[in-house]
Amino acid sequence: MNKEEVLKKILNCNKCGLCQEVCPTYKISGHEFAVARGRLRLIRMALEGELDLNGEPELEEFVNECLLCKACEVNCPSFVPVSQIISEIRENYTQVKGLPLTKRLMYWGVFSKNKNLNLIRKMALIYQGTGANRIVKGVKFLKKSPLNLLPKLTKKSVREQLPEILKEIANPKHRVAYFLGCSVNNFFSEIGVASIKVLQENNCQVVIPEVSCCGAPHKSAGDREETIRLAKINLRAFKDLDVEAIVVDCSTCGSVLMEYAEILKDDQKYGELAQNIANLITDISAYLVKIDFRKPEGQLPLVRVTYHDPCHGIRSLKVQKEPRKILEAIPGVKLVEMRDAASCCGGAGSYSIFQAKTSKKVLKEKMANYQETEADILATSCPACTMQLGYGIELANLSGVVKHPVELLAQAYEKEK
């Protein structure tokens, strides 16, 4: 970490307090050190020697409670890169202290290894198949267990279904690569299957290379070394593909894949490749709108749908109108806007596990906004949000399900047949 560079970024903060209006953690706590301005002040004091950066547990706690949602950044008149600053401080903690054991087990032992993640998926299938999940949900003090974050799993992962669903398109108009992220592949297979089918319905030849985790959990925890290792694996996977776009159906994956360019900008071997790949990354809704996707004729049962904007989608991928255009094009769907649709749901990947108390408070506000819409379906474009929102619906005893826009589009195409 370059202290002088970090201080230079912090000194651009004019302490106006506009970050208070949009910060999820500040809204639920009202605490100055739970907002960007306060966090930056503490970090500055530490870098200038007034506090011990690596010896103040409360400072580390405030840094780790940031959701990295970037709401403060887009609302900042001085364009202070708060998420970059927080990430650099977390990297410092990881370099000095190492990752906590629980994160090492989860990030290195599971997300960094596809085989282990597949094993976790199989164990979760047994957990659900034996009915143990219903027992857990039926016990009052276990009802709020992180185990209940898991969605209902399909018998096969997306990659296991590829022989059945991936087709050779005769005279395709487009050729795209699809980034099959670990969460979609293993836990939200319906999203991945729908993405592939929708792209093929729109005359796209889909190529699906073998990839690893995008590195989002590791990057969020400040594990730069492992983030770079995973980035290089994925860049090699996409290196020689002749495609017009790399399509993602996970906002988080898309955001991190684009950030490879910044992470590896000084790498002589991978820097240019990372930038070239970043230029190809596109959200699936944005890509479908760009190629003028075929409007479905099949009608769904009349449903009210509202949309939650994932933080990475709206602030990193700059996608907002496109998912709504997809939804509005589906016969039977009535789109209703939710209050503060772009506010964080509190999921933020594994944040909901390691900062569970704060996460649930943020989620509670999102669920209140969802309930106001009286919608039947809560749509979003991020598996982490999907998991968190589904959990929130269950916790609050609300009706409704969480769907990706392409799932509903795929259903409408299927209705035509």
Side-chain angles (χ1 to χ4, degrees), residues 18-38:
L18 287 177
C19 49
Q20 292 180 335
E21 298 178 9
V22 294
C23 177
T25 54
Y26 177 78
K27 286 181 178 179
I28 63 172
S29 71
H31 202 296
E32 176 65 15
F33 297 139
V35 72
R37 181 178 66 179

Side-chain angles (χ1 to χ4, degrees), residues 41-171:
R41 175 59 181 163
L42 287 175
I43 293 170
R44 177 183 172 182
M45 291 173 69
L47 295 179
E48 291 178 341
E50 295 182 55
L51 295 173
D52 182 353
L53 179 62
N54 298 312
E56 299 281 355
E58 287 188 347
L59 171 56
E60 186 172 356
E61 182 181 339
F62 288 128
V63 169
N64 287 331
E65 280 185 350
C66 177
L67 285 152
L68 294 178
C69 68
K70 297 186 178 181
C72 54
E73 287 186 22
V74 299
N75 207 47
C76 178
S78 301
F79 306 104
V80 180
V82 180
S83 62
Q84 287 183 21
I85 296 168
I86 295 293
S87 294
E88 289 189 58
I89 300 301
R90 288 183 182 178
E91 286 178 17
N92 167 76
Y93 288 141
T94 299
Q95 289 170 0
V96 173
K97 304 179 180 182
L99 277 179
L101 177 60
T102 50
K103 290 187 177 182
R104 289 203 304 272
L105 291 173
M106 180 180 290
Y107 299 164
W108 296 352
V110 179
F111 288 107
S112 289
K113 296 178 174 65
N114 286 339
K115 288 183 179 179
N116 289 356
L117 191 57
N118 187 48
L119 177 61
I120 294 294
R121 171 189 158 76
K122 289 179 179 178
M123 291 172 63
L125 272 173
I126 294 172
Y127 166 70
Q128 293 184 349
T130 58
N133 60 320
R134 292 192 295 274
I135 295 174
V136 169
K137 290 179 181 180
V139 178
K140 187 175 182 180
F141 72 93
L142 291 177
K143 186 176 181 181
K144 296 183 179 181
S145 165
L147 288 170
N148 291 333
L149 286 168
L150 286 173
K152 175 67 177 175
L153 302 182
T154 58
K155 290 184 178 180
K156 292 183 179 180
S157 68
V158 179
R159 202 164 285 280
E160 289 170 335
Q161 296 181 62
L162 290 183
E164 307 162 24
I165 60 175
L166 194 58
K167 302 176 182 178
E168 285 292 328
I169 306 297
N171 301 314

